[in-house]
Structure formats: C-alpha cells, structure tokens
C-alpha cells in the first residue's frame, strides 16, 4: 500500500515539473546533429512526429512544456567552452535547460507541430533584434554637452510616442511596423495590439519592448526610418498611415506618400494595384510632442 502511495505521489509530482524541448526546426540543423552517435534519429520527419507525440502525451498528463530553438553550432561552441562531451544526451539536456533560461522559447499550446517552428524562429529573431537594438542604445553613451544618457532618453521618448500613437488610433486591431536603416543592417520590428470588449488595449510585453527599442534606436541615432500603422475594425475599411523619422522625431506622411509606398513594387519600382477595402490616409494628430526632438544636442 505504501509503495502504491509513493508511485501515486511521484505521478502527481511529475505534473508539477515544467519541461523544455530543444527543437531542431529544419533539415540543415537536423543533419548537423547526426554527427553525434548518441543522436539516434535518422529522418527529420520521423523526429518531428515523435516530438509531437511526446508533446501531446505531456499535455494529456497536465504537464507544461516549452519549445526552444536548438542550434547545433551553438551547442558545439557551448560544449567546447564548458569542456563537456557533446556526445552525451545529458549535456544536450543541460544546454537545453540554459536555452530555457536565456534563449527564445514558446509554450506548447496544442497547435499542430508544423505551425510551431515558424513561431519559434520568429521569437528568436524578435529576441535577437531586441538584444541588438539594446546593445546599440547602450553604446550611445552620455551626451557630451549635457551628460544625459542618450539611449535612455531615446527609449523614454519612444515609449511616450508609442503610447500617443496607440491612443490616437481608431478603435479595433492595430498592427505597427517600425524600420530603422543604418549600418550594418536595417532593423524591422512589428507590434500587434487589439482591444478587449471594454476597449482596453492588449499588448505582448516582449513584442512591445522590442518595438520600443527599435524605435528608440532610430530616434537616438537620428537614422533614416519609418513607422506604419494599419488599423482594422469590423464593418469599416482598414486605415493605413505612417510617419518618417527625421531629426530625432516623427514627421507625418501624406496620404499620397503612404499610397505610393504601398502601391509601388520595391524591387522594380512598378505601380501595383491598391489593396481593396483599404484607405491610405494621413495619421491622426499626436500633439506637439509628435514633432519635437527627443535629445536636442
């Protein structure tokens, strides 16, 4: 009887343990892992099918599982730095546990597995973009004239602007895209916001942080860039409008400029048909703060 009770308690405890699976999302990474004899899978499709079966089994038992992006090159570098044997499955588990703490992860919510790798890759790109933008903001350092931290001031400015933009937007779902050009590459960030039945905005915190950081980078470095908003609500045409970044602030685009941006092929320069059910228009007034410079020196 005591032995049965112990097994029952262990089953209960297993439901309390959260788990992380390091997922090999594509064939290239899967082939890279086959260099290790202890990695027993020889077919990526079979591997994914077995992962999905395990995820469903854990979910049926009430266990929570997150997925992390397993990069074989990062794993090899990790083993080299730590002196661990990459052939050991235990060391792969150890690496995955560190991914859960520091890397990009998404929760398994019962969706088909083939929809999860793109979401996981998007999350990894989002995190990398945020980390890169944050690093560049930190490197801006203090203003030589007044001593103010330029990156921190730019982030505060970007947060205020984003709040004004969301407040001034028409009711419904809002999809924003911010792009900042500059060496060595262009950074792009997207943010989705919608409203609940009481009219309250719902934002993903990590997505919002990344978006604000990219916007702050454009403002703090006074780099070329822009911000576009698409507002959607049932029974009405979608509204699209935007701003260009100029001297540390946002300058409204005219309706014709928005139309030209959306109705011109970026590769050929040819005109393309406007999207039906979409109004290309000027942005709402954000007040005096919308055109004021953030850091003036």
């Amino acid at each position: 009887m005591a032995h049965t009770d112990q097994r029952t308690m262990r089953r209960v405890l297993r439901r309390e343990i959260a788990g992380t699976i390091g997922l090999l999302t594509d064939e290239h990474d899967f082939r890279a892992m086959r260099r290790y004899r202890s990695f027993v899978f020889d077919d990526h499709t079979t591997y994914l099918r077995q992962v999905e079966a395990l995820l469903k089994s854990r979910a049926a038992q009430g266990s929570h599982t997150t997925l992390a992006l397993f990069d074989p090159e990062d794993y090899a570098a990790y083993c080299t730095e730590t002196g661990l044997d990459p052939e050991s499955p235990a060391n792969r588990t150890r690496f995955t546990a560190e991914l859960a703490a520091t890397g990009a992860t998404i929760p398994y919510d019962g969706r088909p597995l083939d929809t999860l790798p793109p979401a996981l890759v998007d999350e990894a790109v989002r995190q990398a973009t945020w980390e890169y933008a944050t690093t560049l903001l930190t490197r801006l350092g203090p203003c030589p004239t007044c001593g103010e931290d330029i990156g921190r001031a730019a982030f505060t400015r970007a947060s205020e602007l984003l709040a004004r933009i969301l407040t001034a937007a028409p009711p419904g779902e809002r999809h924003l895209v911010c792009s900042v050009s500059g060496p060595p590459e262009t950074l792009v960030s997207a943010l989705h916001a919608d409203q609940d039945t009481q009219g309250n905005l719902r934002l993903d915190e990590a997505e919002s942080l990344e978006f604000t950081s990219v916007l702050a980078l454009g403002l703090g470095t006074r780099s070329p860039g822009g911000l576009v908003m698409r507002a959607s609500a049932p029974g009405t045409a979608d509204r699209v409008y935007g701003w260009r970044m100029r001297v540390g602030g946002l300058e409204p685009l005219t309706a014709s400029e928005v139309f030209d941006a959306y109705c011109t092929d970026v590769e050929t320069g040819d005109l393309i048909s406007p999207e039906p059910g979409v109004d290309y228009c000027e942005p709402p007034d954000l007040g005096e703060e919308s055109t004021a410079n953030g850091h003036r020196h």
Side-chain angles (χ1 to χ4, degrees), residues 7-125:
R7 286 190 299 179
T8 300
M9 286 187 288
R10 283 196 294 269
R11 283 198 298 269
V12 171
L13 282 174
R14 275 197 290 269
R15 293 200 296 267
E16 304 291 329
I17 299 174
T20 303
I21 294 177
L23 186 64
L24 297 164
T25 59
D26 57 42
E27 286 277 2
H28 178 269
D29 287 347
F30 182 82
R31 287 196 299 270
M33 286 303 295
R34 292 194 63 199
R35 78 183 79 166
Y36 303 119
R37 294 187 305 275
S38 58
F39 185 76
V40 298
F41 293 95
D42 56 13
D43 176 75
H44 190 229
T45 301
T46 301
Y47 160 81
L48 291 176
R49 189 162 55 243
Q50 293 298 322
V51 169
E52 184 166 32
L54 176 60
L55 289 170
K56 289 181 177 179
S57 173
R58 285 179 54 82
Q61 296 169 4
S63 298
H64 176 80
T65 311
T66 57
L67 295 171
L69 193 65
F70 195 103
D71 187 315
E73 292 185 6
D74 288 347
Y75 173 64
Y78 168 81
C79 290
T80 299
E81 292 170 3
T82 55
L84 297 174
D85 179 10
E87 277 286 357
S88 169
N91 290 336
R92 288 199 289 273
T93 302
R94 181 174 173 176
F95 175 69
T96 301
E98 295 205 13
L99 287 179
T102 61
T105 62
I106 59 173
Y108 175 67
D109 55 8
R111 284 178 290 172
L113 187 64
D114 58 2
T115 67
L116 295 177
L120 189 54
V121 171
D122 287 347
E123 177 64 16
V125 170

Side-chain angles (χ1 to χ4, degrees), residues 69-229:
L69 193 65
F70 195 103
D71 187 315
E73 292 185 6
D74 288 347
Y75 173 64
Y78 168 81
C79 290
T80 299
E81 292 170 3
T82 55
L84 297 174
D85 179 10
E87 277 286 357
S88 169
N91 290 336
R92 288 199 289 273
T93 302
R94 181 174 173 176
F95 175 69
T96 301
E98 295 205 13
L99 287 179
T102 61
T105 62
I106 59 173
Y108 175 67
D109 55 8
R111 284 178 290 172
L113 187 64
D114 58 2
T115 67
L116 295 177
L120 189 54
V121 171
D122 287 347
E123 177 64 16
V125 170
R126 182 206 59 74
Q127 181 167 320
T129 300
W130 169 71
E131 291 175 350
Y132 182 65
T134 301
T135 298
L136 294 183
L137 282 171
T138 303
R139 290 178 181 173
L140 293 178
C143 172
T145 302
C146 69
E148 183 177 17
D149 187 295
I150 298 175
R152 185 176 294 113
F155 189 87
T156 300
R157 170 87 173 116
S159 299
E160 294 172 351
L161 277 172
L162 178 58
R164 286 174 175 267
I165 288 169
L166 291 172
T167 300
E173 295 186 359
R174 302 96 187 265
H175 186 75
L176 299 86
V177 176
C178 179
S179 62
V180 174
S181 302
E185 59 184 291
T186 296
L187 290 183
V188 179
S189 179
L191 175 64
H192 180 79
D194 57 15
Q195 291 178 309
D196 59 23
T197 54
Q198 285 75 42
N200 300 313
L201 274 179
R202 293 180 296 196
L203 295 168
D204 180 89
E205 184 177 351
E207 206 175 71
S208 180
L209 183 60
E210 178 216 359
F211 188 92
T212 306
S213 299
V214 171
L215 176 57
L217 184 63
L219 299 175
T221 59
R222 303 195 174 191
S223 299
L227 191 156
V228 175
M229 159 84 83

